[in-house]
Amino acid sequence: MTPVYKLSDSRSLTGTATYYSSMLAGNAVYAPQSYYLLETNVLPGAATSVEFTNLNTYASDYKHLQIRIAAGAGGSGATNRLRITVNSSDANLRGHKVGGVGSGSMFSSTATPYGGSMVISDRVDVSGTSVFIIDIVDFGSTNKAKVFKTFEGCLDSSEPFVAMGSTLWNSTSALTNILFGVGNTAIDSTGFTSGSRFSLYGLKA
Amino acid sequence: MSMQKILHAEVGSGGASSIDFTSIPQIYTDLYIKLSARERDAGDYVRFFLDINGTNSSISTLFVLGTGSAPSSSSGTNLVGHGINRYSSTAGVFGNVDIYIANYTKNANKAICVEGVEENDATAAYSSISAALWSNTTAISSISIVSPGNIAQYSSATLYGITAGSDGITTVS
Amino acid sequence: MATATYTALATITLSGNSSSVTFSNIPTSYRDLRVIINGKGSIDENVTYTINGSTANFSWLRISGNGSTTVTDKNTNNTIGRFGTGDTLVIVDFMDYSATNKEKLFLIRNNYVGGDVRGLAAKWGSNSAISSISFGIRLSGNYLTGTTFSLYGIAG
């Protein structure tokens, strides 16, 4: 078999050369990866809301999405709810949650939208940071409604919170945008603090 | 980069009795499954099972369950978690489940972490965090996701392999 | 442009019993960390967390179930979660670990079929970037031979 010169190693056709029978020899195995950072937004200043848009453009390359949030809320109230709209609306949204506040009993509850948005968490810390990992499986399917799974935590000293929650967007339409805001009765100017971080990841399949 | 898709399965017309991953390569450290599924048949079984290497025996589970109105904790054998949408739940809604299996090739029992949510446009929806254990030291070469109510068309599951390693900078001792 | 991430940083499989395992020299070039711990302990006790050499400024709360009852409680110490004498799996997500303008929150799934299943949120109340994390077992427990600890970095 005619040998293949690997010029990157040999540097010269006249000097010492290593002969291989394949151009693949000596190279690292190509291992396609599956978990990708798509977008990230670390707020340079306070902001009323954060929105991921054009999510449908990821559907051809990714099967699942994940959103990671580490955020604080503005304002002075101890309770600031994390709210979302999907495709710029609160229509067709529903949620459930199982969690605890560190005292008393655990709870299991359901919620529907009000104030033009859906509450997906009761606690965005006003004096620190709350964290959320949101998984959206098979987000690009037009045969299914979209279901978000959330694992969240807040260690506000007066109102701590840990929960696993879920949100239903009961629509088979393409998921295009998700907006996050803060407010007790509606998304308001409370907003997120500077340095709050929102990252979007895609998982291939 | 350490997460790679191994296999992906989509349930076609007519549904299926299970979603199967076979001939799992033995080259990773952990396995991770993302599942979006719904029961095909009436029965509202809520929970799902894993057949590992062709058997659903030797699995024990603890879970915390939320129903939309009351939390509870229970245990079981063979079942693994919740989050395959019940037959009677809102049409077109499929659950959202993450399954993590550590050290699946190791000569030791296999610990499994499950987070599963069912959604439903009503008060009742079943979600759980589960700890499961496959008490078998054999390496895992196949996994089947099984629902007593069978699995509806458009359900899907993706199996990922995760590989531990070193970046040459971080140290551990 | 999309960036492939979920990078293996360090891993160890214990060749003997050990009272603690420490990840050090953690680079600050990622956004989040994930730790996977799987194995058995010499006693059934809490996991102790030490970050950057400090056992102070921790707080946590949990939800858990043991197969019959559910519990939610909280505390301000570094003994967080549980490692059992039977097979245990702990998954820890440290969020924004490299930030220098916020406290460090982490989410934990703690799975011990012989004891309970727990979901926890915890905080290390420091704005310092995390460069080392040490896991021990309360009351001088040991991680047994064969227990594995793996660390991954996630860009963000």
Side-chain angles (χ1 to χ4, degrees):
Chain A
M1 179 180 293
T2 302
V4 173
Y5 295 102
K6 294 192 69 174
L7 299 180
S8 61
D9 285 343
S10 68
R11 301 182 181 85
S12 167
L13 288 174
T14 60
T16 302
T18 301
Y19 299 91
Y20 299 88
S21 60
S22 167
M23 285 296 290
L24 298 176
N27 293 318
V29 173
Y30 173 61
Q33 297 303 310
S34 295
Y35 185 86
Y36 283 79
L37 169 66
L38 303 178
E39 304 176 28
T40 196
N41 187 351
V42 180
L43 298 180
T48 301
S49 63
V50 172
E51 188 171 29
F52 291 109
T53 60
N54 299 311
L55 294 172
N56 53 303
T57 62
Y58 293 120
S60 59
D61 292 323
Y62 303 95
K63 191 69 171 174
H64 315 297
L65 295 177
Q66 183 179 80
I67 299 172
R68 288 172 168 252
I69 300 172
S76 58
T79 300
N80 281 293
R81 297 185 167 89
L82 180 66
R83 294 173 162 274
I84 64 167
T85 61
V86 177
N87 286 21
S88 305
S89 171
D90 68 342
N92 303 311
L93 291 169
R94 180 109 194 190
H96 294 80
K97 195 180 295 286
V98 57
V101 299
S103 60
S105 301
M106 279 182 56
F107 66 88
S108 177
S109 62
T110 186
T112 52
Y114 64 96
S117 55
M118 178 74 196
V119 172
I120 65 167
S121 172
D122 282 337
R123 304 280 191 276
V124 184
D125 199 338
V126 296
S127 57
T129 303
S130 294
V131 293
F132 308 85
I133 299 177
I134 303 170
D135 290 287
I136 310 172
V137 66
D138 215 353
F139 77 102
S141 174
T142 54
N143 295 306
K144 304 176 184 177
K146 315 303 182 289
V147 175
F148 306 174
K149 174 171 66 70
T150 304
F151 191 50
E152 59 172 297
C154 171
L155 271 299
D156 178 278
S157 58
S158 59
E159 295 188 275
F161 191 86
V162 62
M164 184 174 73
S166 57
T167 303
L168 167 65
W169 183 50
N170 193 11
S171 171
T172 56
S173 299
L175 176 64
T176 59
N177 45 292
I178 302 172
L179 180 143
F180 296 93
V182 180
N184 286 341
T185 57
I187 293 177
D188 58 29
S189 60
T190 303
F192 300 104
T193 53
S194 174
S196 293
R197 162 257 180 149
F198 300 77
S199 300
L200 177 70
Y201 300 86
L203 283 79
K204 290 181 178 284
Chain B
M1 310 308 159
S2 303
M3 184 184 294
Q4 295 176 266
K5 182 206 85 176
I6 302 172
L7 293 164
H8 179 75
E10 298 264 349
V11 178
S13 176
S17 59
S18 62
I19 296 176
D20 305 314
F21 297 118
T22 60
S23 301
I24 297 172
Q26 303 293 289
I27 59 175
Y28 304 99
T29 306
D30 302 332
L31 297 176
Y32 175 49
I33 298 172
K34 295 196 78 70
L35 172 65
S36 169
R38 182 182 178 88
E39 291 176 4
R40 184 191 70 189
D41 303 330
D44 283 1
Y45 294 96
V46 181
R47 58 195 68 178
F48 68 92
F49 301 78
L50 294 183
D51 284 358
I52 299 179
N53 291 3
T55 176
N56 70 354
S57 62
S58 304
I59 295 180
S60 49
T61 308
L62 282 180
F63 54 88
V64 168
L65 177 69
T67 62
S69 57
S72 63
S73 180
S74 191
S75 62
T77 55
N78 304 329
L79 78 91
V80 170
H82 304 79
I84 292 187
N85 257 64
R86 292 165 293 144
Y87 177 83
S88 67
S89 63
T90 303
V93 182
F94 292 66
N96 184 335
V97 183
D98 283 345
I99 304 167
Y100 198 99
I101 305 173
N103 290 309
Y104 73 105
T105 68
K106 196 176 175 185
N107 182 20
N109 296 332
K110 312 302 184 291
I112 305 168
C113 172
V114 183
E115 295 173 23
V117 300
E118 174 201 53
E119 260 298 339
N120 188 28
D121 193 9
T123 297
Y126 290 78
S127 306
S128 70
I129 54 173
S130 302
L133 182 69
W134 186 50
S135 295
N136 191 313
T137 59
T138 306
I140 295 176
S141 58
S142 71
I143 298 171
S144 292
I145 300 164
V146 181
S147 167
N150 295 303
I151 299 178
Q153 182 185 17
Y154 307 125
S155 298
S156 68
T158 313
L159 174 68
Y160 298 92
I162 293 171
T163 306
S166 173
D167 64 349
I169 300 170
T170 309
T171 55
V172 58
S173 59
Chain C
M1 181 178 173
T3 303
T5 187
Y6 206 104
T7 305
L9 300 182
T11 188
I12 188 169
T13 300
L14 297 181
S15 57
N17 297 348
S18 178
S19 60
S20 68
V21 170
T22 302
F23 294 105
S24 304
N25 303 311
I26 301 172
T28 58
S29 48
Y30 300 94
R31 181 74 63 181
D32 300 332
L33 297 174
R34 171 166 272 204
V35 176
I36 308 290
I37 309 172
N38 176 219
K40 299 180 182 180
S42 60
I43 58 175
D44 183 355
E45 258 298 338
N46 300 121
V47 176
T48 63
Y49 287 68
T50 304
I51 296 180
N52 291 9
S54 173
T55 58
N57 291 323
F58 286 88
S59 56
W60 58 266
L61 81 155
R62 66 157 164 157
I63 54 174
S64 66
N66 63 0
S68 59
T69 57
T70 60
V71 172
T72 179
D73 61 4
K74 59 185 177 182
N75 214 319
T76 53
N77 56 37
N78 73 324
T79 57
I80 308 169
R82 180 177 185 176
F83 212 79
T85 54
D87 298 275
T88 304
L89 171 59
V90 180
I91 301 174
V92 189
D93 283 295
F94 293 90
M95 307 287 284
D96 270 33
Y97 80 99
S98 58
T100 54
N101 58 358
K102 58 179 69 159
E103 297 172 318
K104 307 305 177 288
L105 276 285
F106 43 110
L107 297 172
I108 308 169
R109 288 75 147 185
N110 205 133
N111 299 268
Y112 173 37
V113 169
D116 59 23
V117 58
R118 303 184 184 195
L120 301 108
K123 179 172 74 173
W124 181 53
S126 169
N127 285 0
S128 299
I130 294 177
S131 59
S132 73
I133 307 168
S134 182
F135 300 92
I137 296 179
R138 183 171 170 262
L139 297 180
S140 303
N142 287 317
Y143 294 104
L144 298 185
T145 301
T147 299
T148 63
F149 294 75
S150 298
L151 177 68
Y152 302 87
I154 297 172

